[in-house]
Amino acid sequence: MLLAQQVVGLLKDHEEFCVSSVNSQQLKQNPELVKLLMSFLVNPMFEDTELSAVCQPFAVEPFYASSYYNALLGDSNSSMELEKCFYQ
């Protein structure tokens, strides 16, 4: 089965993800589904080496972040924290 077909099958069980705007609480409750959906936008092969994060419009806290992003910044998403990581 193709990955896209597998995702469509999962979305049938999560119809709340088939709308134009998803509640942030729903994103937090389904981290594996979010990660799978984000794999179509952010290449999972670079999960450990690329600094990637995605936020909802007008939000500061990312609902998806690569493991490299989390390793550098943890729960913080401050640009000052990011600068500290690169200029130490």
Side-chain angles (χ1 to χ4, degrees), residues 8-70:
V8 169
L10 287 171
L11 288 174
K12 288 181 182 176
D13 296 335
H14 296 280
E15 290 182 4
E16 67 273 13
F17 278 79
C18 298
V19 295
S20 60
S21 179
V22 177
N23 182 322
S24 61
Q25 189 64 23
Q26 293 166 330
L27 294 170
K28 289 178 184 177
Q29 291 173 350
N30 297 286
E32 291 302 315
L33 181 57
V34 170
K35 187 172 182 174
L36 183 60
L37 290 169
M38 291 308 300
S39 71
F40 288 96
L41 301 174
V42 179
N43 191 336
M45 290 185 63
F46 302 117
E47 173 79 13
D48 297 331
T49 58
E50 243 180 46
L51 193 62
S52 304
V54 181
C55 300
Q56 288 183 312
F58 309 110
V60 177
E61 181 184 337
F63 66 84
Y64 168 83
S66 65
S67 59
Y68 186 58
Y69 180 97
N70 287 328

